[in-house]
Amino acid sequence: MVTWPVALYTVVAVAPSVLFWCALKVPPVLRWWRRRREPEVPAGPPIEKLAADLRRVHRLLADLPSGASAVRRYGTRQAYDALLVQACREVEVEHRLDTLPEGFDRGIERLRVEESLAERGLSVS
């Protein structure tokens, strides 16, 4: 007989704390569970579109006329490098295009990255 009032008191005293704890902890756990079950959304454009853009800008860079302005050449190279960096991120190729200054070393790195991408099945030319 004595255990009934003690059990009732325990439920009345503990229930609000348990309910508030559940109200705080359960929604984040449910969000985590839903996110875990959802398919991963790629961060960038589809790899096919990225490859087509790379080829297009590569052709633009190769076909620049000899009288093209330095600004146009620089801008086209920067666009090409940005696409190369995106492609490297997608297929997990190490690169140093972000760190190297414009010049001979960056040109060599550009060639190395193009070759690494080709080895992984993403042909640039």
Side-chain angles (χ1 to χ4, degrees), residues 3-73:
T3 59
W4 174 247
V6 172
L8 182 62
Y9 175 76
T10 304
V11 168
V12 169
V14 173
S17 297
V18 170
L19 288 174
F20 280 115
W21 182 85
C22 288
L24 292 174
K25 298 296 179 179
V26 170
V29 170
L30 289 176
R31 278 193 300 274
W32 171 79
W33 182 259
R34 283 190 207 123
R35 267 185 275 133
R36 194 176 67 97
R37 296 185 58 184
E38 291 175 357
E40 207 173 297
V41 178
I47 194 72
E48 295 85 6
K49 182 177 179 340
L50 189 59
D53 289 344
L54 261 171
R55 289 185 196 106
R56 180 179 51 83
V57 175
H58 181 75
R59 277 193 310 272
L60 281 174
L61 191 59
D63 295 340
L64 276 176
S66 60
S69 69
V71 173
R72 185 172 175 195
R73 287 185 185 281

